[in-house]
Amino acid sequence: MNLNTQILIAAVLGVIYGFFLTLYPQTSFAEHSLYGLGILSSIFIGLLKMLLIPLIFSSIVVGVSNLQAGGQFGRVWKITALSCLTTTTLALILGISCAHLFEVGKGVDIQIFQEAMQNHQTPDTLTPSSFLTSFIQNTLINPFKALSEGNVLAVVVFALFLGVALVKGGESFSLVRNTCQQFFVMMMMLVGWVMKLAPIGIFALLAKLIATEDLSVLSRLVEFAVVVTGTTIFHGAVVLPALLWIFGKMNPITFFKGARTALVTAFATSSSSATMPLSMKCAQENLGVRPQTAGFVIPLGTQLNMDGTALYEAAAALFIANLMGLDLSLTQQIIVCLTAMIASLGAPGIPSAGMVTMIMVLQSVGLPAEAIAILLPIDRVLDTVRTVVNVQGDMMISVVVDRYAKQAEVESS
Ligand code: ASP
C-alpha cells in the first residue's frame, strides 16, 4: 500500500476513533487513549517542527541563489507576488459575498454572544499601525536569535539576503553555496523519513481533535461554520483549480493526487508551517516543480499567502457585525478586506493564528475585540479546512510560477 493511501485510511480511522472516544468520556480508557494519542501527535509534529527552520533557511538560500544565477529572480518574484495578491483578493471577495448571501449571524441567538462575553478578558488593542511596527521589529533581528527562536519571517528575510549575496559573490562563495545545497538535500532526506510516520501522526492528531473539541458549541453556530467551511472549500475546489488550469496548465486532478499528502497533513495539523516540509516534497516530487522554484515559493507562501485565513477573517467580521445588529457600510467592508489581507500576511502558520490577527480585523471597523470569544470555541475545527486551502494555494502558486519561469528560460535560450 502506498503512503498516500495509508494516510487517507489513517485520517478516516482517526476521525472514527475520535468519535468512539467521545462515547466514553472521563473513563480511564479514554484518558489513557488520549495520553497515547498526545504522545504520538507530539512526536510527529515535533519532528516536522525540528526540520522547519533548517529547511526554510537552506531552501530559500539555495532557491534564491539558483534563481539569481539563472537570471530568473525578478520574474519569479513578480509572478509569486502577483499570484498571492490575486488569490487572496478572490478569497476575500468570496468570503464577504457568501457572508452577505447567507446573511450569517442574522437571527442567531444573541444569548451566545452574552454568555461568551462573560469571563472574557479584553485582549490588547491591535491596530494596523501597531501591527506593522511589531512586524518590522520582529523581522529585522539578529538571525541567530531568529533561528534559535523559530521566528520564521525573520529567517525568511535573512535567507533572502544571503541568497542574493551568494550570487553577487559568484565563484568566491561557491563553497558556502555548495554546502547550503548539500545541507538542503540532506534536510529533504530527513523529511522523507518523517513522512513515513505521517499515517500514525495523522491518525493521532485527528482522533485527539475530535475527542477533545466541544462539538456541541459548533452545532449552535452551525450556520456560520457551514457557510465559512463551504465557501473555503469552494475556493479550494473551484477557484484555485480553475486558476491552476488556466495559468499553470495543470489538470486539477493531477494536482490533488500529487498534493494530497501535504493537504491531509495540513488538515490534521492545522499548521501550514508544520506541513511545509511535506508541501515542498510533494511539489518537487509529484508536481514537477523544480527545486529552485519550490525552494523559494513554498517557504515564502507558507508565511505570507493564506487564502483560507483571509476568507475566514472577512466572513467572521461580517458575522460578528450581523450578530450585533450592525450593518457595515461598503467602505467599512473594504477596510475589513484590506485589514484581513494584512492580517493573513502576518499570521504565522500555526494552529489558530488567524484568531489572534482577527482582533485587528474586528477593531478596524470598531467591532469589539472580545467578540473573538464566540469564535474561539469553534476555531480549532474551522482551522482544519482553512489551513488546507492555505497550503493548497502555496503549492498551486509554485506550479504556476515554475511554468512561467521555464517558459522564460526556453524563450531566452
Ligand atoms: N492555522 C492556519 C495555518 O497554519 C493559520 C490560521 O490560523 O488561519 O495556515
Side-chain angles (χ1 to χ4, degrees):
M1 204 191 286
N2 71 22
L3 188 68
N4 280 327
T5 323
Q6 286 178 29
I7 287 178
L8 288 181
I9 294 176
V12 174
L13 290 179
V15 171
I16 295 174
Y17 190 61
F19 277 117
F20 177 70
L21 286 180
T22 56
L23 301 177
Y24 302 95
Q26 274 133 29
T27 56
S28 72
F29 163 69
E31 259 172 38
H32 286 123
S33 290
L34 283 176
Y35 177 74
L37 293 171
I39 300 269
L40 289 176
S41 36
S42 306
I43 293 176
F44 179 57
I45 297 272
L47 287 169
L48 286 172
K49 282 193 186 155
M50 184 176 83
L51 298 178
L52 181 69
I53 291 291
L55 187 61
I56 287 191
F57 178 73
S58 56
S59 74
I60 293 194
V61 173
V62 172
V64 172
S65 62
N66 286 340
L67 287 176
Q68 282 270 29
Q72 288 293 323
F73 189 66
R75 193 180 177 96
V76 167
W77 179 253
K78 278 184 214 138
I79 303 172
T80 308
L82 188 69
S83 311
C84 293
L85 204 68
T86 311
T87 56
T88 309
T89 308
L90 289 175
L92 286 167
I93 295 174
L94 202 62
I96 289 274
S97 314
C98 285
H100 270 303
L101 189 67
F102 296 100
E103 302 192 316
V104 289
K106 289 204 172 139
V108 173
D109 185 3
I110 193 78
Q111 183 82 25
I112 301 175
F113 192 61
Q114 280 147 1
E115 272 173 27
M117 291 308 187
Q118 285 167 5
N119 314 321
H120 186 75
Q121 290 181 349
T122 314
D124 289 343
T125 312
L126 194 66
T127 61
S129 56
S130 68
F131 181 73
L132 192 66
T133 317
S134 76
F135 191 73
I136 294 170
Q137 278 168 355
N138 287 323
T139 309
L140 304 178
I141 60 165
N142 173 355
F144 294 100
K145 186 164 178 246
L147 287 165
S148 69
E149 285 178 351
N151 180 340
V152 178
L153 202 58
V155 172
V156 168
V157 171
F158 182 63
L160 282 173
F161 284 139
L162 261 189
V164 176
L166 279 184
V167 178
K168 296 274 174 243
E171 269 313 293
S172 50
F173 293 157
S174 61
L175 182 67
V176 182
R177 193 158 132 195
N178 291 343
T179 311
C180 285
Q181 176 84 43
Q182 285 183 358
F183 186 69
F184 172 61
V185 174
M186 211 164 76
M187 284 299 115
M188 289 308 284
M189 186 189 244
L190 296 189
V191 173
W193 295 349
V194 176
M195 265 175 106
K196 295 202 178 6
L197 290 180
I200 301 174
I202 284 166
F203 168 83
L205 279 162
L206 286 179
K208 203 171 131 224
L209 178 72
I210 300 281
T212 52
E213 283 304 306
D214 185 0
L215 298 176
S216 63
V217 184
L218 185 68
S219 67
R220 291 169 70 200
L221 296 174
V222 77
E223 196 206 354
F224 171 67
V226 168
V227 170
V228 169
T229 308
T231 315
T232 313
I233 293 176
F234 181 80
H235 187 71
V238 178
V239 179
L240 291 181
L243 293 174
L244 176 72
W245 195 54
I246 299 169
F247 297 105
K249 299 274 178 265
M250 181 180 275
N251 182 337
I253 299 178
T254 315
F255 174 83
F256 282 114
K257 271 192 187 152
R260 63 186 165 189
T261 308
L263 300 182
V264 176
T265 309
F267 185 86
T269 57
S270 291
S271 165
S272 13
S273 290
T275 312
M276 199 213 81
L278 305 188
S279 317
M280 189 109 97
K281 202 161 173 66
C282 288
Q284 286 181 26
E285 291 179 4
N286 307 342
L287 303 175
V289 179
R290 291 172 306 168
Q292 64 265 42
T293 314
F296 173 75
V297 177
I298 301 253
L300 216 62
T302 300
Q303 186 60 33
L304 300 177
N305 180 50
M306 294 195 179
D307 293 5
T309 304
L311 188 155
Y312 171 78
E313 295 195 348
L318 233 73
F319 170 67
I320 299 289
N322 281 345
L323 206 60
M324 297 176 68
L326 296 172
D327 268 331
L328 295 184
S329 67
L330 185 65
T331 320
Q332 282 177 314
Q333 290 179 39
I334 294 173
I335 294 176
V336 163
C337 285
L338 290 178
T339 324
M341 187 177 272
I342 300 173
S344 72
L345 285 178
I350 54 173
S352 290
M355 268 295 101
V356 181
T357 51
M358 180 79 222
I359 298 171
M360 185 169 92
V361 180
L362 293 175
Q363 286 179 336
S364 69
V365 285
L367 294 169
E370 298 86 337
I372 56 161
I374 305 172
L375 303 169
L376 269 175
I378 56 168
D379 188 59
R380 275 298 285 110
V381 177
L382 301 187
D383 199 4
T384 52
V385 180
R386 67 174 191 254
T387 308
V388 172
V389 172
N390 289 346
V391 169
Q392 182 191 347
D394 304 335
M395 296 171 81
M396 185 210 112
I397 289 176
S398 76
V399 173
V400 173
V401 171
D402 199 45
R403 178 176 162 253
Y404 280 102
K406 272 186 203 149
Q407 210 174 40
E409 273 166 35
V410 172
E411 279 164 16
S412 66
S413 66

